[in-house]
Amino acid sequence: MMQKYLIVYNGTAGKADNEAIAKSVRQKLQEVGKQVELAATESEEAAIKQIQVAVDNYDCLVTIGGDGSINTACAGFLKAGHSIPLGIIPGGTVNNFARALKIPLNTNKAIQNLIDGSPAQVDLGVIGEVPIVSSLTLGRLADISQDVKQDDKRKFGTIIYLFKGIKELFTNRSYKLKIDANGNSEILRAQILLITTTNSVGGNVAFNPEARYDDDYLHVFILKKFTLPKIMTYAAYFLSGNLKNARGVKYLKCKQIHIENLSSRSIKTRIDGDPALALPITVKIRANFLRVILPDDC
């Protein structure tokens, strides 16, 4: 039985909503007899350290926010070498991971899920001790995201990516990559590479019906062309869950992939929507590393 809960939230200025939500979660959990402590953190580094220590002192960790906040929690788990059950109160712009796991986006329903739900084993992508909760992108998709400011994302939502992406679509930049996966090595040119750990991308839970959060695989999509003539075709395949069948798209499932940069310019990745490591990288799947509290009908 989970009795001791730690609620970690961003306590910096401008995040007053997080504190109010954290106190509401504490009240609801205390009403059902749980011991609850709050931890307001001022930085990602402080949050990771707090969570690293918490795994040996609490029965459950609750995080408030989007994929970036969940990523921070997982970074603390990786530092500790193991995890405890994770409760999620979605509070981001897209909440892709929560959508994939059918965690309620409504705050009150998400709090109730902490009480009524059960921990389920969930896979985690990793690059060493760097977690990948939902997705890793590189190439032009990452370039588009790089141009999106956090304030604009909060103000306009996901539509801002479309406006920023139109400019990028008028370029024809590609990247020369060396890919090692499933015992095969290949050199190719690509404009976008996407790695996912669930069936959802950008909040579209129909993106890849073949994928599950506990299937023990990374799902890799390599788009050789991402131009204006192809955008409508890709959009249709994306929305229908058939992107891997589109012409010019290479798809593979693997437990590990090594990606090397053979281009003259540096190639940086984005992980769960935030700027991350530059190539080369080796991505692995940590099967069942997480235990996330999910609705019982999930």
Side-chain angles (χ1 to χ4, degrees):
M1 292 290 292
M2 294 183 292
Q3 295 297 333
K4 294 180 64 179
Y5 288 68
L6 179 67
I7 302 171
V8 177
Y9 64 96
N10 188 335
T12 56
K15 296 290 184 179
D17 286 352
N18 283 349
E19 183 174 1
I21 292 170
K23 289 180 178 179
S24 180
V25 175
R26 178 176 62 184
Q27 179 182 342
K28 293 292 185 182
L29 289 174
Q30 287 177 337
E31 287 175 359
V32 293
K34 308 300 183 183
Q35 302 174 44
V36 186
E37 292 184 26
L38 304 185
T41 57
E42 302 298 319
S43 67
E44 180 182 5
E45 182 181 358
I48 291 172
K49 288 181 179 179
Q50 180 89 40
I51 293 161
Q52 181 181 359
V53 173
V55 297
D56 293 321
N57 297 291
Y58 295 88
D59 301 315
C60 182
L61 176 78
V62 178
T63 183
I64 300 168
D67 287 354
S69 297
I70 301 167
N71 184 286
T72 298
C74 293
F77 289 159
L78 289 172
K79 289 281 187 183
H82 62 102
S83 68
I84 56 176
L86 176 65
I88 296 170
I89 307 296
T93 304
V94 180
N95 298 306
N96 189 66
F97 191 66
R99 290 177 188 270
L101 274 59
K102 299 182 180 178
I103 294 170
L105 302 185
N106 175 273
T107 298
N108 289 330
K109 291 181 179 179
I111 294 173
Q112 193 61 41
N113 177 60
L114 298 180
I115 299 168
D116 298 335
S118 303
Q121 293 181 322
V122 175
D123 301 333
L124 180 68
V126 296
I127 304 172
E129 287 190 345
V130 176
I132 304 169
V133 167
S134 181
S135 65
L136 176 147
T137 61
L138 64 86
R140 294 176 66 191
L141 199 61
D143 295 341
I144 291 170
S145 298
Q146 193 72 33
D147 289 338
V148 176
K149 303 292 189 295
Q150 192 67 28
D151 287 345
D152 289 339
K153 190 164 69 170
R154 280 194 292 265
K155 185 175 181 181
F156 299 107
T158 56
I159 194 69
I160 190 66
Y161 289 100
L162 175 62
F163 291 114
K164 295 290 186 179
I166 289 173
K167 177 183 176 182
E168 182 65 27
L169 286 173
F170 281 99
T171 71
N172 195 35
R173 184 168 54 248
S174 64
Y175 306 82
K176 189 176 183 181
L177 306 172
K178 182 172 182 284
I179 307 290
D180 294 286
N182 296 328
N184 299 314
S185 183
E186 182 178 3
I187 295 176
L188 51 79
R189 297 199 73 89
Q191 294 192 337
I192 291 175
L193 186 144
L194 168 68
I195 300 175
T196 69
T197 60
T198 70
N199 62 321
S200 181
V201 168
N204 176 22
V205 296
F207 171 71
N208 184 12
E210 181 180 330
R212 275 186 56 86
Y213 58 79
D214 58 354
D215 63 10
D216 302 354
Y217 282 103
L218 300 167
H219 298 265
V220 185
F221 296 80
I222 302 170
L223 281 69
K224 298 177 182 179
K225 293 283 186 181
F226 192 67
T227 58
L228 278 172
K230 282 188 170 290
I231 188 66
M232 295 306 294
T233 300
Y234 283 151
Y237 277 98
F238 174 85
L239 293 172
S240 66
N242 289 300
L243 183 61
K244 58 180 173 288
N245 298 321
R247 187 174 180 181
V249 175
K250 182 180 180 66
Y251 167 73
L252 59 96
K253 290 166 51 177
C254 58
K255 296 182 182 294
Q256 177 175 315
I257 183 169
H258 179 75
I259 308 168
E260 210 170 315
N261 177 18
L262 300 183
S263 296
S264 57
R265 63 194 297 263
S266 174
I267 303 175
K268 294 184 178 180
T269 65
R270 289 182 73 88
I271 294 176
D272 298 327
D274 293 325
L277 305 168
L279 298 187
I281 57 171
T282 298
V283 186
K284 300 180 182 180
I285 195 74
R286 289 284 298 269
N288 302 326
F289 179 76
L290 298 177
R291 288 173 290 162
V292 182
I293 301 176
L294 305 184
D296 287 334
D297 60 352
C298 188

